[in-house]
Amino acid sequence: MSKEFLPVDLLIPLPEPLEVTQLRGYQSNLEIAKLLSKRRKMPLLLSLLDSYPNESTITPADSPFRITSKQEITHSIANLRIGVVGNHMHSEYIYHHFAKELKSLGALWVSNWIMIRVPNKKTQTCSILS
């Protein structure tokens, strides 16, 4: 919960394929985004969680994201600084494509907040780094 995170106006959990969510039973990006939103008192936008339709669309050249109701999203993120909450297991191009989609919808700039678990042997907990 470092105070050195870039200042953002809105947090968005990085969408993931439905198959991954179903296999795991929850969306890790969403869970950590909820925690960060509550602790940092920042709004959380959840309407993009279904924008990643399936894993077969993943190619480095094309965006796998399909954003519907663009007018509503554009109104929600126009001229805002966006923090995308994701994890280190995703390839860089996934973050690139999502940021590109958000910028095309009017986001001012996008900062990726990446989850990395750093075990603390003393307290038996993990820290989240960005």
Side-chain angles (χ1 to χ4, degrees), residues 71-114:
Q71 276 188 327
E72 178 187 321
I73 301 298
T74 301
H75 182 70
S76 301
I77 68 172
N79 297 315
L80 294 180
R81 302 167 297 177
I82 307 294
V84 175
V85 179
N87 64 61
H88 75 286
M89 299 302 289
H90 290 292
S91 299
E92 183 180 331
Y93 74 88
I94 295 296
Y95 289 100
H96 166 75
H97 283 301
F98 194 58
K100 192 172 166 184
E101 293 284 336
L102 294 175
K103 287 178 184 176
S104 75
L105 294 171
L108 188 59
W109 56 263
V110 177
S111 171
N112 294 319
W113 291 20
I114 311 297

Side-chain angles (χ1 to χ4, degrees), residues 110-127:
V110 177
S111 171
N112 294 319
W113 291 20
I114 311 297
M115 296 182 287
I116 300 173
R117 291 183 179 190
V118 180
N120 183 329
K121 292 179 184 176
K122 193 181 224 181
T123 63
Q124 300 296 313
T125 60
C126 291
S127 299

Side-chain angles (χ1 to χ4, degrees), residues 5-127:
F5 285 111
L6 289 173
V8 296
D9 303 310
L10 181 69
L11 290 177
I12 299 176
L14 182 71
E16 66 182 18
L18 181 60
E19 297 87 13
V20 174
T21 302
Q22 289 173 335
L23 181 64
R24 190 183 309 114
Y26 64 94
Q27 220 180 69
S28 59
N29 300 337
L30 173 59
E31 294 306 315
I32 197 70
K34 285 179 185 177
L35 175 70
L36 290 170
S37 172
K38 185 177 178 180
R39 291 221 177 140
R40 297 297 209 137
K41 296 177 178 64
M42 284 184 224
L44 182 63
L45 181 69
L46 302 176
S47 54
L48 293 171
L49 289 175
D50 62 351
S51 66
Y52 203 143
N54 72 51
E55 221 164 348
S56 65
T57 63
I58 299 174
T59 63
D62 299 321
S63 175
F65 300 101
R66 303 292 177 262
I67 298 175
T68 56
S69 64
K70 289 189 178 190
Q71 276 188 327
E72 178 187 321
I73 301 298
T74 301
H75 182 70
S76 301
I77 68 172
N79 297 315
L80 294 180
R81 302 167 297 177
I82 307 294
V84 175
V85 179
N87 64 61
H88 75 286
M89 299 302 289
H90 290 292
S91 299
E92 183 180 331
Y93 74 88
I94 295 296
Y95 289 100
H96 166 75
H97 283 301
F98 194 58
K100 192 172 166 184
E101 293 284 336
L102 294 175
K103 287 178 184 176
S104 75
L105 294 171
L108 188 59
W109 56 263
V110 177
S111 171
N112 294 319
W113 291 20
I114 311 297
M115 296 182 287
I116 300 173
R117 291 183 179 190
V118 180
N120 183 329
K121 292 179 184 176
K122 193 181 224 181
T123 63
Q124 300 296 313
T125 60
C126 291
S127 299

